[in-house]
Every structure is written in structure tokens, then in C-alpha cells.
Amino acid sequence: MTGNTEVVVIGGGYAGVMAANRLTQRNDVTVTLINPRPTFVERIRLHQVVAGNHHAVVDYREILPDGVRLVVDTVTRIDAAGHSLTLTTGDTIGYDYLIYAVGSGSADPRVPGAAEFAHPIAGLEEARRLRPVLAAAPAKAPVTVVGAGPTGIETAAELAESGRSVTLVCGRVLGPYLHPSGRRSVAGRLARLGVKVIDGPDAKVTAVTRDAVRLGDGRTLPSEVTIWTAGFGVPDLADRSGLSTDALGRLLTDETLTSVDDARIVAAGDSAAPSDLPFRMSCQAAGPLGAQAADTVLSRIAGERPATLTVGFAGQCISLGRRVGIFQFASKEDAAKRYYLGGRAGAKLKEFICAGTVKQLVDEGRKPGSYRLHRMFKEGKRQELLRAGRDGAPVTAERGA
């Protein structure tokens, strides 16, 4: 033992790396990051992996400082009472504080045939497996993308721009987050790329076969390759370990991101459900939540009261091929406004944001504590909801301290 406070971070995504790098502010803290692969994945570029124009990985040596120890493995169980983790290798790692940042992945589609015949792309390995499937399909073979959130829109646009015949099945509405003005802009760009958009109340997939997709209204769409982007799920590690989670499996926390079960466990990113009012799954939330989680741990080590969440949003950025994009402006509470930035300017802003998220991690590693975006926003509707008790009040976790 080093005599230092041992902090372990599970998950090396945007939230986990931000938290790990920020923790190195103190010389008496030993930081270990556990991740199943030796490289950082740029999740917001996985549609480019599918299209074959980006590899979407960064060597951890480029973004982690020397003060963070990387363990390439997967945690199979959290022993909260014993303050230890069990790995797939059978090894155990002890901790004084744990940051739970396991992220998200593809959700169980629960549609007949989807698990067998559709290709999810929420993870790097999934996106990589799809590349040879597309390469083997004839150039004009029908490709169906299911799900009209950012990933679905971006994937459909990338493939159509490369000459593929693409149908985008929305399930309900194209870009549900977007303001109607932004949605019209996206629809126009997809139409110019030749993407056939199927939306409306009957645009829900009811079955997937090897060469077709069936819709709720009885229509059958020929589909040589079906890509599934509808919805995200989270790993069930917290639930399997006996910790309190929300219905999706995210770790339930208070407004400092501390587990409601144990004050030595703090959550960050897509796998956190503060006050059972989780934020939108996004790298936009992951960075601030990672910083908040680290600050909570550092406050507890220092014997101080941790600050509560003040995370805010700016909007949603979607690429529409390599030359066009859109930035949908939003309120800090994450409600879309009527204003958007489109065209080439939108594409440049999207690329700036993609590169900027990695740069933020690098900068935090070089100068821990310099990231401040999670402290830019003041109280808003979230705090009003919590005070009113309409969706549950914050819980202060003191057990396990």
C-alpha cells in the first residue's frame, strides 16, 4: 500500500477519463482507470467508422497523464462492503473511493429478428464488424437505418454521401430532439443526399429478417444491410452488484453524484441517474459529470461538503455527411430553440466539437482542475423540480463513509 487514498474509475470514456485526469490534482491520491480496451473510443465518431473515413480511437498515452494507472480489464462485480472490485481475470482491486463511469451501449432491440439480423453500432467493435458487411454488399444494395436520433441521421447521411441506397426508418419523427425549423433543414439535406425518410405513427419496425424490414402498417422494405441505432442501454454491473439503480440500470445518486447506497461510490456519465432525473446521454453531459464526480471525491477526501450539480446544455450537433452539419441551439435545460447553424458552418462546428472533446481531456490531464464548464450554469428548472418534490428530492448518502 502507498498510504495514499486509492481512487478507482471504472470506464475509460469521456466521463471516466475526465474524472481520472482531474483526480491527479492531489499528490496523495492514487488513480487507477479500468477499461476493457487499451484505447480511448471517440463514441461521437462511430458513424464515421461505419462509413470508413475515421478510426475513432486515440491512444490512452495521449490523453492520460503519468499519474493515472491504466488496467485493461473488465469489472464483473463491485463489493461495496469490502471496497473491492472483481475483474474477469479473477484479480481483485481495492479502493477507498470508486467512480462508476461504465457508459452506455446498444439497447436490447426487443424486436423479432433484430438481434439476429440487424447491426448495432453503439460500440467500437460493433461498428468495426459492420464495415466488412457493407463492403461485401453491392453498391446499390438497399441499406436500412433504424432510429432517427443523431446516430441514425449521421449514419444514413454518411452512407448516402458515399453512394449507398439508404432508407431511414424513424420510428416516429425525424430528429425528435430538434426544433421543427432544424428538423426541416435536416430533412432537406437528407433528401438531397437521396435518403428515403420514413416517419409518422406507422414508421415503427415490427420485425427484421435477413433481407427485409417490416413496419407497423404492414409494409415490407427490402434491406440487404439493416443498421440498428434505436436506443441505448447501460451495463448491468451496478444492479448485479446489489446497488440501487433506475429502471434502465443507471446508478441512483444524489445531486453530488454520490450513490444513494454508499458515500464512497460516485457515478458519472451515461450510467448515472442523479435524483432519478438523468441527463441526456451525450458527451456534452459526460465531461461535466466526470468533472463533478472527481470534485465530489476530492471534497470528501478533504473533509468538505461536495457541491451539487449545475450542469447545463448548449444544444445538439449532427453531421450530415462530410460537408454539411447542423448545430441545434438549446436552453441550458436541454430544450431545443428555433435557432440552428447549418450548412458548411455546421459541419465545421461539428468537427471542432469532436476534436474539442478530446482536447478537453488532454488539457485536463496536463493541468488538472482547469476544466470549468460544469460550473458555468446557475440554478434552473432542475433545481426547481427537486425543491418542489415533484420528481423526488435529493438524497444525501452518508452510509459506507
Side-chain angles (χ1 to χ4, degrees), residues 91-363:
D91 293 339
T92 59
I93 293 180
Y95 66 84
D96 294 308
Y97 288 94
L98 175 67
I99 294 184
Y100 185 82
V102 297
S104 60
S106 299
D108 180 358
R110 297 185 179 180
V111 170
E116 294 82 4
F117 302 114
H119 300 271
I121 59 170
L124 177 65
E125 290 74 19
E126 294 169 335
R128 284 176 169 173
R129 283 195 293 268
L130 180 55
R131 281 296 302 145
V133 174
L134 282 167
K140 295 302 180 183
V143 176
T144 303
V145 179
V146 181
T151 303
I153 292 171
E154 291 181 327
T155 303
E158 293 281 350
L159 295 179
E161 191 175 67
S162 68
R164 290 287 180 180
S165 176
V166 181
T167 297
L168 178 62
V169 180
C170 298
R172 183 173 58 86
V173 63
L174 175 67
Y177 178 92
L178 299 171
H179 186 276
S181 60
R183 186 173 299 120
R184 286 191 293 270
S185 177
V186 170
R189 170 61 177 170
L190 292 176
R192 289 189 290 275
L193 288 171
V195 177
K196 181 180 180 182
V197 175
I198 299 179
D199 57 5
D202 296 320
K204 184 177 181 180
V205 174
T206 57
V208 179
T209 65
R210 189 179 303 278
D211 56 7
V213 169
R214 286 203 294 271
L215 303 183
D217 60 3
R219 280 180 291 175
T220 298
L221 308 176
S223 182
E224 180 94 1
V225 181
T226 301
I227 303 172
W228 198 274
T229 71
F232 290 94
V234 299
D236 64 350
L237 175 60
D239 185 54
R240 283 189 288 109
S241 300
L243 297 169
S244 298
T245 65
D246 70 358
L248 194 64
R250 291 171 288 214
L251 186 69
L252 283 174
T253 77
D254 65 11
E255 288 293 288
T256 72
L257 295 179
T258 303
S259 165
V260 299
D261 300 311
D262 193 321
R264 290 186 177 270
I265 300 177
V266 180
D270 291 352
S271 53
S275 301
D276 208 8
L277 289 172
F279 294 93
R280 170 165 56 94
M281 291 184 178
S282 64
C283 70
Q284 189 173 173
L289 291 177
Q292 172 77 41
D295 287 353
T296 291
V297 170
L298 292 171
S299 293
R300 292 195 183 280
I301 292 172
E304 301 169 353
R305 179 185 294 273
T308 56
L309 289 167
T310 56
V311 175
F313 287 79
Q316 187 178 81
C317 202
I318 303 174
S319 64
L320 300 167
R322 293 296 85 211
R323 297 183 296 274
V324 175
I326 180 173
F327 185 86
Q328 170 67 70
F329 290 95
S331 67
K332 67 179 181 180
E333 283 86 13
D334 208 22
K337 299 180 178 179
R338 63 175 298 182
Y339 306 106
Y340 67 88
L341 180 68
R344 290 185 180 275
K348 289 181 179 179
L349 181 55
K350 167 71 174 183
E351 180 57 33
F352 175 81
I353 290 172
C354 287
T357 55
V358 175
K359 185 178 184 301
Q360 285 176 347
L361 300 178
V362 173
D363 290 346

Side-chain angles (χ1 to χ4, degrees), residues 27-63:
N27 294 328
D28 59 350
V29 172
T30 299
V31 184
T32 300
L33 177 69
I34 304 175
N35 195 64
R37 63 179 68 83
T39 52
F40 174 81
V41 177
E42 294 187 74
R43 283 278 303 273
I44 53 179
R45 291 193 187 273
L46 288 181
H47 62 285
Q48 292 185 253
V49 174
V50 173
N53 57 47
H54 204 284
H55 50 75
V57 293
V58 180
D59 193 308
Y60 274 120
R61 288 175 294 185
E62 298 180 25
I63 59 175

Side-chain angles (χ1 to χ4, degrees), residues 63-81:
I63 59 175
L64 290 177
D66 293 339
V68 176
R69 178 172 71 109
L70 176 65
V71 174
V72 181
D73 209 328
T74 299
V75 177
T76 59
R77 184 174 181 273
I78 301 168
D79 178 2

